[in-house]
């Protein structure tokens, strides 16, 4: 899924209309509050990267589980900390956050590294809409999407945030995030974006489930 959470997964920003993007900013403020470094330091553990944080019950049924720290500062220019651009929404360089849905006892990545990648959705978009693919092979969405940067770097998702043991026992768990900051989206154009999780045991090509390991959304930056 993505955050900010919007109807129909549309992220629409009108730079000159504060109300059009302030709603996204308020949602992100609330969403990211549990990730504040001070809260993470108080509630969660500093874990060793690159391996699963397994916590067997050791004979004690439903033994409470600890969670690994995911600090808000890891989100760099998308952390919103001391940011006069409000996650980039006031300047037309918005941050969108990618998060995996929680799956109990799932060892994401099959013990191999994972990351998120994003791209313009076409030409699949043409097929979805029943339109012919341009003969010149152009991907208009990729062209209009422009450049973007990711936090953590390269969209990395560490193994230490898995497995998840369930809400009842993993009470302070905060799932890992990947923030995507779009730097120069073509204004006044609707851009179809798709982000995928690249992991050994997560399928992203099942057309019967278009949300398996991926999420598609529309991004539009209006400048009037």
């Amino acid at each position: 899924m993505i955050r900010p959470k919007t109807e129909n997964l549309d992220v629409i920003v009108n730079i000159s209309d504060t109300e059009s993007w302030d709603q996204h900013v308020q949602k992100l403020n609330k969403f990211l509050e549990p990730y504040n470094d001070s809260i993470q330091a108080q509630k969660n553990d500093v874990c060793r990267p690159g391996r699963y944080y397994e916590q067997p019950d050791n004979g004690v049924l439903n033994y409470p589980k600890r969670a690994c720290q995911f600090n808000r500062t890891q989100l760099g220019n998308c952390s919103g900390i001391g940011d006069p651009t409000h996650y980039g929404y006031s300047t037309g360089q918005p941050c969108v956050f990618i998060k995996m849905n929680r799956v109990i006892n799932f060892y994401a990545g099959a013990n191999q590294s994972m990351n998120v990648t994003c791209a313009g959705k076409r030409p699949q978009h043409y097929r979805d809409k029943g339109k012919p693919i341009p003969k010149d092979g152009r991907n208009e969405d990729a062209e209009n999407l422009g450049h973007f940067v990711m936090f953590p770097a390269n969209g990395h998702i560490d193994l230490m945030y898995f497995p998840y043991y369930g809400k009842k026992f993993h009470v302070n768990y905060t799932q890992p995030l990947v923030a995507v900051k779009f730097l120069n989206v073509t204004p006044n154009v609707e851009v179809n974006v798709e982000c995928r999780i690249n992991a050994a045991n997560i399928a992203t090509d099942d057309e019967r489930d278009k949300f398996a390991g991926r999420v598609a959304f529309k991004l539009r930056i209006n400048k009037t």
Side-chain angles (χ1 to χ4, degrees):
M1 294 298 295
I2 67 167
R3 292 293 184 270
K5 188 176 183 179
T6 65
E7 186 176 358
N8 299 323
L9 296 182
D10 294 345
V11 180
I12 302 174
V13 178
N14 188 330
I15 297 176
S16 61
D17 180 7
T18 303
E19 291 185 2
S20 76
W21 50 261
D22 186 62
Q23 57 179 324
H24 300 321
V25 171
Q26 296 305 318
K27 289 177 181 177
L28 290 177
N29 285 340
K30 184 176 181 180
F31 172 65
L32 291 175
E33 186 174 348
Y35 291 90
N36 287 344
D37 290 23
S38 58
I39 295 177
Q40 289 292 310
Q42 178 184 357
K43 295 184 176 182
N44 293 334
D45 294 344
V46 175
C47 298
R48 178 180 172 182
R51 67 178 187 181
Y52 296 118
Y53 192 31
E54 296 180 286
Q55 300 171 74
D57 288 336
N58 292 328
V60 180
L61 186 63
N62 299 329
Y63 186 80
K65 311 300 182 183
R66 299 285 295 172
C68 293
Q69 291 183 20
F70 188 99
N71 293 312
R72 189 168 175 172
T73 48
Q74 292 179 242
L75 299 172
N77 291 341
C78 285
S79 69
I81 300 173
D83 179 12
T85 72
H86 306 284
Y87 306 101
Y89 281 82
S90 65
T91 59
Q93 296 180 313
C95 293
V96 175
F97 297 81
I98 312 298
K99 74 180 189 73
M100 293 175 59
N101 289 330
R102 300 179 183 187
V103 180
I104 296 176
N105 291 326
F106 180 53
Y107 285 76
N111 215 33
Q112 300 178 42
S113 62
M114 298 176 287
N115 76 314
V116 170
T117 53
C118 298
K121 187 169 169 56
R122 293 175 181 169
Q124 180 63 47
H125 174 68
Y126 284 94
R127 291 193 286 268
D128 292 343
K129 298 294 184 180
K131 298 179 181 180
I133 298 175
K135 293 182 180 180
D136 59 7
R138 290 179 58 206
N139 185 329
E140 292 181 16
D141 282 325
E143 295 173 3
N144 291 326
L145 185 61
H147 297 94
F148 55 86
V149 291
M150 289 185 162
F151 307 95
N154 301 314
H156 177 65
I157 298 176
D158 202 278
L159 299 179
M160 66 183 176
Y161 300 107
F162 305 93
Y164 168 62
Y165 289 101
K167 185 176 182 180
K168 185 176 181 180
F169 311 113
H170 226 157
V171 292
N172 293 323
Y173 181 81
T174 42
Q175 60 216 90
L177 304 174
V178 170
V180 189
K181 185 174 182 63
F182 299 95
L183 301 176
N184 56 345
V185 175
T186 300
N188 306 316
V189 173
E190 183 179 276
V191 183
N192 299 278
V193 185
E194 183 174 78
C195 296
R196 296 180 177 232
I197 297 176
N198 304 297
N201 59 347
I202 299 178
T204 59
D205 55 1
D206 186 352
E207 291 304 317
R208 295 170 298 178
D209 186 356
K210 296 186 178 182
F211 287 93
R214 54 184 165 161
V215 61
F217 57 96
K218 295 178 181 178
L219 181 63
R220 184 182 180 106
I221 310 298
N222 290 326
K223 293 183 179 180
T224 55

